[in-house]
Amino acid sequence: MSPRRSAAEALGTRAAILDRSVGIASLEGLEGLTIGRLATELGMSKSGVLGHFGSKEALQLAVLDRAGQIFRTEVWEPALPAAPGLARLRVLCEAWISYLERGVFPGGCFFVAAAHEFDGRPGPVRDAVAARFDAWRARLDKEAGRAVDAGDLPEGTEPGQLVFELLGLVMALNHALQLHRDNRAATYARRGVRARLGSAC
Amino acid sequence: MSPRRSAAEALGTRAAILDRSVGIASLEGLEGLTIGRLATELGMSKSGVLGHFGSKEALQLAVLDRAGQIFRTEVWEPALPAAPGLARLRVLCEAWISYLERGVFPGGCFFVAAAHEFDGRPGPVRDAVAARFDAWRARLDKEAGRAVDAGDLPEGTEPGQLVFELLGLVMALNHALQLHRDNRAATYARRGVRARLGSAC
DNA sequence: CCTACCGATCGGTAGG
DNA sequence: CCTACCGATCGGTAGG
């Protein structure tokens, strides 16, 4: 039967589709996410799934948004109570590493995976991924700049260089965890961060 | 017509299939590489393509081998004339960065892309990718160990930590080039390497 | 939200 | 190396 649902029910269904999509796409990629599989797993028809988004591309963009909310909750928000500048940058890096260690997304960092999947495919999905990285790097740059201005980092530290290196440490950690399930990697990543940002105590 | 070819011709055909496959897979991934597309681009039938490998998975493994040959030529062999230890490690890092800058593979580092595509999909392809990374890291570890033993690196340098950080710098460079076409990234990567390995002059 | 359907494409096989 | 074909699945649409 499944008659037309109320607006509230429809929102719940949409949220359920997105949550399931995030899990699938994390492991299989945003292209590996198919309407048919989603429908089967959710006990819906394909057109029922597609009706919430209109097209697969629109679904992929909505999934990116949902993943972005999760990232914000897990990595950005924990750092807000910390003082802007070096203190916040340290909390941010620890939350970032912890987010990978805890496997918030089963396939590792959702955005690193999406970046690799779409960097060779022009279009709205690629643009959305790039925009999210730009915004994230801008935030890190800002905190790094504040830390430099406050004299909390070694003289001559360039925010762009520092953020590039921090991103590299996190990407190497993501890679080691996902491909090798290498436990030493988190230690390496934390030591790398400490070498650049110093220790809090 | 296209009657059965000689063994030499068949080898040439196989090589042509692999070269085309490397280009496609670099941009679209090893799953995005399809027999049908390959056949069309090469002016062959699907079964003609598949006959050389037997299955798509066997083709993917052969493509990984071919990409490995290219990587060896572009990154490993240039470093062989250098003295083992620090000198070779420096040449290796420069060749590695240059390989990304020159776009030896149109979609960036073939193995980083393959690692992200398959790290969530158990099977022979994933295993082959992981084995290649293991071998590569073992080589870098060995050179780093020699450099430490020779006293050419700061006291207390741990090879595993050093190699982890070098891998991070290269991954951040690959990401910046592919997603952002960011020219400053190569400068950041080289500065990062120099901060860890010192300058040759 | 459903059923029923579309054309296209997938990996792969039979037989030559 | 080919033609001809298989069942399965893809994204998406029509109509309700």
Side-chain angles (χ1 to χ4, degrees):
Chain A
M1 274 321 182
S2 298
R4 181 164 274 122
R5 307 294 170 77
S6 73
E9 284 171 324
L11 273 179
T13 303
R14 192 187 140 99
I17 295 171
L18 286 177
D19 284 342
R20 182 73 64 133
S21 297
V22 164
I24 296 174
S26 166
L27 288 168
E28 322 246 6
L30 279 165
E31 281 295 327
L33 175 68
T34 71
I35 317 285
R37 173 171 174 188
L38 217 36
T40 303
E41 292 193 10
L42 291 163
M44 296 172 63
S45 68
K46 288 200 307 172
S47 72
V49 172
L50 206 51
H52 284 275
F53 306 97
S55 72
K56 176 165 180 176
E57 187 174 276
L59 167 64
Q60 290 173 325
L61 292 170
V63 172
L64 274 177
D65 264 345
R66 179 77 188 104
Q69 288 168 14
I70 294 169
F71 185 85
R72 204 174 308 124
T73 303
E74 298 285 343
V75 183
W76 177 245
E77 286 175 8
L80 284 180
L86 182 59
R88 182 177 289 168
L89 202 51
R90 282 181 183 141
V91 177
L92 225 35
C93 286
E94 177 52 34
W96 207 2
I97 289 171
S98 162
Y99 143 89
L100 293 178
E101 257 186 328
R102 285 176 292 132
V104 168
F105 296 108
C109 181
F110 199 94
F111 301 98
V112 169
H116 277 99
E117 190 176 4
F118 281 90
D119 60 18
R121 309 182 190 185
V125 178
R126 194 208 128 101
D127 295 345
V129 173
R132 281 176 186 282
F133 267 100
D134 282 337
W136 179 240
R137 294 209 19 187
R139 289 193 173 184
L140 294 172
D141 260 325
K142 194 160 136 194
E143 301 302 336
R146 283 167 168 163
V148 169
D149 291 346
D152 289 336
L153 285 171
E155 201 151 342
T157 299
E158 194 189 324
Q161 178 78 33
L162 176 61
V163 171
F164 180 86
E165 297 194 7
L166 294 174
L167 185 63
L169 290 168
V170 170
M171 293 183 73
L173 171 59
N174 185 56
H175 173 268
L177 288 173
Q178 293 303 312
L179 191 64
H180 303 294
R181 319 224 170 279
D182 179 354
N183 293 328
R184 293 165 305 176
T187 305
Y188 289 152
R190 286 197 171 88
R191 264 194 236 154
V193 169
R194 210 174 308 129
R196 276 152 201 83
L197 301 184
S199 170
C201 33
Chain B
M1 277 316 172
S2 297
R4 181 164 273 121
R5 306 295 171 77
S6 74
E9 284 172 322
L11 272 179
T13 303
R14 193 188 139 97
I17 295 172
L18 285 177
D19 283 343
R20 182 72 64 132
S21 297
V22 163
I24 296 174
S26 165
L27 288 167
E28 322 247 5
L30 280 164
E31 280 296 327
L33 176 67
T34 71
I35 318 284
R37 174 171 174 188
L38 217 36
T40 304
E41 292 194 9
L42 291 164
M44 295 171 65
S45 67
K46 288 199 306 174
S47 72
V49 171
L50 206 49
H52 284 274
F53 305 96
S55 71
K56 176 165 179 176
E57 187 174 275
L59 167 64
Q60 290 172 325
L61 292 170
V63 172
L64 274 177
D65 263 345
R66 179 76 189 106
Q69 286 168 16
I70 295 169
F71 186 86
R72 204 174 308 123
T73 303
E74 297 285 342
V75 182
W76 176 245
E77 286 176 8
L80 284 181
L86 183 59
R88 183 177 287 169
L89 203 51
R90 281 180 183 141
V91 177
L92 224 34
C93 286
E94 177 53 32
W96 206 3
I97 290 171
S98 162
Y99 144 89
L100 293 178
E101 256 185 328
R102 285 175 293 132
V104 167
F105 296 109
C109 181
F110 199 93
F111 301 98
V112 169
H116 277 97
E117 189 176 5
F118 281 88
D119 60 19
R121 308 183 191 187
V125 178
R126 195 208 128 101
D127 294 345
V129 173
R132 283 177 184 282
F133 267 100
D134 282 337
W136 179 238
R137 292 206 25 184
R139 290 194 172 185
L140 294 172
D141 261 325
K142 192 160 137 194
E143 301 302 336
R146 283 167 167 164
V148 169
D149 291 346
D152 290 336
L153 285 171
E155 201 151 342
T157 299
E158 194 190 323
Q161 178 79 32
L162 176 60
V163 170
F164 180 86
E165 297 195 6
L166 293 174
L167 185 63
L169 290 168
V170 169
M171 293 184 73
L173 171 58
N174 186 55
H175 174 268
L177 288 174
Q178 293 303 312
L179 190 65
H180 302 295
R181 319 220 171 282
D182 180 353
N183 292 327
R184 294 165 303 176
T187 304
Y188 289 152
R190 287 198 171 88
R191 264 194 237 154
V193 169
R194 210 174 309 130
R196 276 151 201 83
L197 302 184
S199 170
C201 33

